[in-house]
Amino acid sequence: MDFANSAEVDIAYYVLNKKGEGMFYKDLVMQVIDLKNKPVQSLSTAIAEIYTLINMDSRFHHAGEGIWKLTEWIPQDVKAASQSTSSSTASSKSAQRRMRLLEDIQESAH
């Protein structure tokens, strides 16, 4: 792989794919910076930029506690359960919020 001409997020994908297991975000980003072999003016800015790219790319999955994995490693049933749990939790919170607002409106009407 030609790291010098590759996008940082593609290098991150390559690193995780080659390692075969999740990595702590800072270790992953530092390896990307090393492989890219491009001078960095501000390390904290470079880390933030690469982390943002990884976070926005659907090929990557945040496994918790700063660990990133490839989405393709996550079994389909786990992905579906994760998505339905988060959506049902969001709708439950939304319903609770609506009920509190309705109660507030009714109290202020009296």
Side-chain angles (χ1 to χ4, degrees), residues 50-106:
I50 296 169
Y51 182 85
T52 300
L53 292 170
I54 291 169
N55 194 28
M56 293 172 51
D57 193 311
S58 63
R59 295 179 292 175
F60 299 92
H61 172 78
H62 183 252
E65 298 184 20
I67 303 295
W68 284 89
K69 295 181 176 184
L70 294 179
T71 303
E72 63 197 49
W73 297 342
I74 311 301
Q76 280 301 117
D77 56 340
V78 173
K79 282 188 226 176
S82 173
Q83 289 172 350
S84 67
T85 301
S86 63
S87 66
S88 67
T89 302
S91 64
S92 173
K93 287 182 181 179
S94 179
Q96 289 173 353
R97 182 173 166 263
R98 278 193 298 262
M99 288 300 293
R100 283 194 302 268
L101 287 171
L102 181 59
E103 289 169 0
D104 289 346
I105 291 169
Q106 289 174 343

Side-chain angles (χ1 to χ4, degrees), residues 1-7 11 35-38:
M1 179 173 201
D2 179 15
F3 297 119
N5 295 317
S6 298
I11 297 171
L35 289 171
K36 185 75 172 169
N37 201 21
K38 180 176 144 186

